[in-house]
């Protein structure tokens, strides 16, 4: 029980740091939360989001992969992983993740925007 409380406390502090734009601190706090409780996909998604903001797209993808493995219908995890792939210039994989996100949740507006953006970027580069 103490570990779940500590995990939640670290997670909440990580969210506060993320909102303030302190992505390094949020990444550290989300990592501590995962150490205390590695059963919640949300912890991995948030750590992945912080990694992505911190410029660590590959690390972010690993966390999104973990969240998706734990919860295969986690639309946000697919969307964020797509953003990480897009950042790496892996447009086909990004598009596939955006599409999967929309298959899961057809009302996920951000995924539509991201899918359109990746198509535009792919056309410009290719």
């Amino acid at each position: 029980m103490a570990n779940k409380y500590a995990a939640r406390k670290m997670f909440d502090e990580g969210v506060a740091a993320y909102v303030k734009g302190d992505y390094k601190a949020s990444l550290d706090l989300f990592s501590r939360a995962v150490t205390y409780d590695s059963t919640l996909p949300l912890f991995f998604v948030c750590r992945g989001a912080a990694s992505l903001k911190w410029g660590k797209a590959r690390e972010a993808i690993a966390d999104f992969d973990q969240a998706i493995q734990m919860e295969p219908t986690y639309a946000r995890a697919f969307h964020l992983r797509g953003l990480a792939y897009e950042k790496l210039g892996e447009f086909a994989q990004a598009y596939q993740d955006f599409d999967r996100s929309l298959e899961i949740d057809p009302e996920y507006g951000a995924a539509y925007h991201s899918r359109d953006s990746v198509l535009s970027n792919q056309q410009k580069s290719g």
Side-chain angles (χ1 to χ4, degrees):
M1 185 64 127
N3 281 351
K4 297 245 184 233
Y5 174 78
R8 189 49 150 180
K9 184 177 182 320
M10 293 296 108
F11 176 78
D12 290 345
E13 290 176 14
V15 169
Y18 189 94
V19 168
K20 289 179 187 173
D22 189 350
Y23 304 119
K24 174 68 170 111
S26 67
L27 178 57
D28 293 341
L29 289 160
F30 291 140
S31 291
R32 289 173 61 194
V34 166
T35 299
Y36 286 116
D37 184 358
S38 62
T39 65
L40 297 174
L42 176 63
F43 287 8
F44 288 96
V45 166
C46 289
R47 185 171 71 176
S51 292
L52 188 56
K53 287 286 193 176
W54 190 244
K56 297 177 179 283
R58 289 277 173 220
E59 289 87 343
I61 289 169
D63 277 335
F64 301 138
D65 285 347
Q66 181 64 33
I68 290 165
Q69 181 179 350
M70 295 167 80
E71 190 174 327
T73 59
Y74 202 155
R76 184 167 184 242
F78 280 99
H79 177 241
L80 290 170
R81 188 174 72 177
L83 293 175
Y85 280 122
E86 183 177 18
K87 189 167 198 90
L88 294 171
E90 298 178 26
F91 299 125
Q93 185 62 47
Y95 185 89
Q96 184 178 8
D97 277 350
F98 298 145
D99 232 22
R100 181 66 183 123
S101 179
L102 291 167
E103 287 172 10
I104 295 166
D105 182 0
E107 296 183 20
Y108 191 2
Y112 285 104
H113 173 75
S114 296
R115 188 175 66 177
D116 290 344
S117 175
V118 80
L119 276 176
S120 176
N121 287 337
Q122 192 172 22
Q123 289 171 348
K124 288 176 189 174
S125 71

